[in-house]
Amino acid sequence: MDFAFDARTQELRAKLLTFMEQYVYPAETTAHEQRLLLKSPWDTPAVVEELKAEARSQGLWNLFLPDAEHGAGLTNLQYAPLAEITGRSPHLAPTALNCAAPDTGNMEVLAQFGSDEQKKRWLEPLLAGEIRSAFAMTEPEVASSDATNIETRIAREGDEYVVTGRKWYISGAMNPDCRIFIVMGKTDPDNEDVRRQQSMVLVPRDTPGVEIRRAMQVYGYEDHSHGGHAEVVFHGARVPAENLVGEEGGGFAIAQARLGPGRIHHCMRLIGMAERAIELMCRRAVARTAFGRPIAQQGVVQEWIADARVAVEQLRLLVLKTAWLMDTVGNRGAHTEIQAIKIATPRTVLDIIDRAVQTHGAGGVSQDFPLAELWAAARTLRIADGPDEVHQRSLARRELKKYL
Ligand SMILES: Cc1cc2nc3c(=O)[nH]c(=O)nc-3n(C[C@H](O)[C@H](O)[C@H](O)COP(=O)(O)OP(=O)(O)OC[C@H]3O[C@@H](n4cnc5c(N)ncnc54)[C@H](O)[C@@H]3O)c2cc1C
């Protein structure tokens, strides 16, 4: 295993680090201020479009997509250090580079399973950053970490599919630029094979019968920068049969394929979030004095900083090993490692951000530092894309199999 940056990665890293300093960090405050003046809080602030244009002109665009025909053609190992850098400003930088979830996973699905017509109509504008998209799987009425529970009905009627069901926490769907939903539902609920009951269809936002009911909050945040997380109801929304993605009964397998890269991308960005938290923690600790000495001289704070550094270095190595495995033996071969990082990274990074919050006192929970928002974002990643316990169960089973 060799994790040294190759020439292409080094060049892109250098460019991206400069882009973050020159454009992204200054835009954090601007985006916040502009949003307060928008007609709808779900619209995209002008500064985000400016960032996108600048990133694209610098070649910092679609870096996530390993497919060289549509994306930058980077391996996971090349992309990992770049995604980490964008994680330092997780609400702006990934969007600026057209590398934000859920669009990334949706573009991967369309690139891999979409028909030529679907690619032309939806993938091309997504790759160009002209529209956004959502992935609608989770339902409030059923335990959705088990995808076989999904109840939304996708019924074939003549040359159409009729979609009926209720979804929630559909990321990005509040943003009016989100024009297309990939919806998971059941086309064959009676199939004996519970993993062949599901299909995915493309439902344009403006289809009659699609109701964007409300924005779901995250610890009281609306999560505007992410495009919100919507409750969406499909009241018998009709789409042409050619909107099926892949084949009927193939929805479960597509969902599995979508999640592998999505999970490692989250972990890469989480490491960047941890690095930002450590930097803020250190800056604050050296700048404030309590009881006659800088907070940085308190043994307990030094212990937090040291433990955070050790933990981040461990996590990064595991994420790089996982990226390397995905590149060399494929996503299936890296299954255990993908689960391991999805278990270890959010909870460890959450702990690091929490120490950084503590080091800041009241400022840590305020809107004047990004820490509270980072904490809320990291906390959701112990649930989204598979709760910790689901990964632990599956990883443990694979481990135990060796001894049965
Ligand atoms: C901010 C955010 C954004 C999201 N974005 C999207 C999106 O864009 N699209 C989308 O479709 N969904 C999205 N989700 C939903 C997310 O994927 C689901 O919340 C997740 O899959 C869990 O499903 P659930 O909420 O129904 O929890 P449930 O399935 O009800 O599980 C609840 C809890 O039960 C426990 N549990 C479940 N299974 C097991 C097990 N096998 N062993 C032990 N314990 C278990 C776990 O502790 C789990 O957290 C998002 C969620 C959040 C918070």
Side-chain angles (χ1 to χ4, degrees), residues 135-138 142-145 169-171 218 229 380 383-387 389-390 393:
F135 183 74
M137 184 160 95
T138 304
V142 293
S144 302
S145 50
Y169 278 91
I170 306 311
S171 299
V218 173
H229 309 284
T380 66
I383 300 169
D385 280 6
E389 297 74 19
V390 174
R393 173 174 172 261

Side-chain angles (χ1 to χ4, degrees), residues 326 329-338 398:
M326 289 168 81
V329 297
N331 298 356
R332 265 180 187 277
H335 202 135
T336 299
E337 284 74 12
I338 292 174
R398 208 166 321 112

Side-chain angles (χ1 to χ4, degrees), residues 105-126:
N106 296 340
M107 287 188 261
E108 276 158 6
V109 165
L110 288 167
Q112 212 179 329
F113 302 99
S115 65
D116 288 346
E117 178 55 31
Q118 289 169 354
K119 285 183 188 161
K120 194 166 169 35
R121 180 143 182 231
W122 302 113
L123 180 59
E124 285 181 15
L126 278 167

Side-chain angles (χ1 to χ4, degrees), residues 138-161:
T138 304
E139 300 178 2
E141 299 298 341
V142 293
S144 302
S145 50
D146 177 356
T148 63
N149 282 338
I150 295 306
E151 287 181 342
T152 289
R153 189 76 171 91
I154 303 177
R156 179 84 189 234
E157 282 187 19
D159 53 6
E160 289 181 322
Y161 283 108

Side-chain angles (χ1 to χ4, degrees), residues 275 278 281-282 285 296 298-314 348 351-352 355 359:
E275 286 288 2
I278 294 173
M281 177 156 60
C282 293
Q298 300 293 346
V300 64
V301 174
Q302 291 182 356
E303 202 177 302
W304 294 344
I305 291 168
D307 286 351
R309 173 53 53 210
V310 172
V312 158
E313 296 301 324
Q314 289 174 329
T348 310
D351 191 49
I352 292 171
R355 306 278 189 206
T359 311

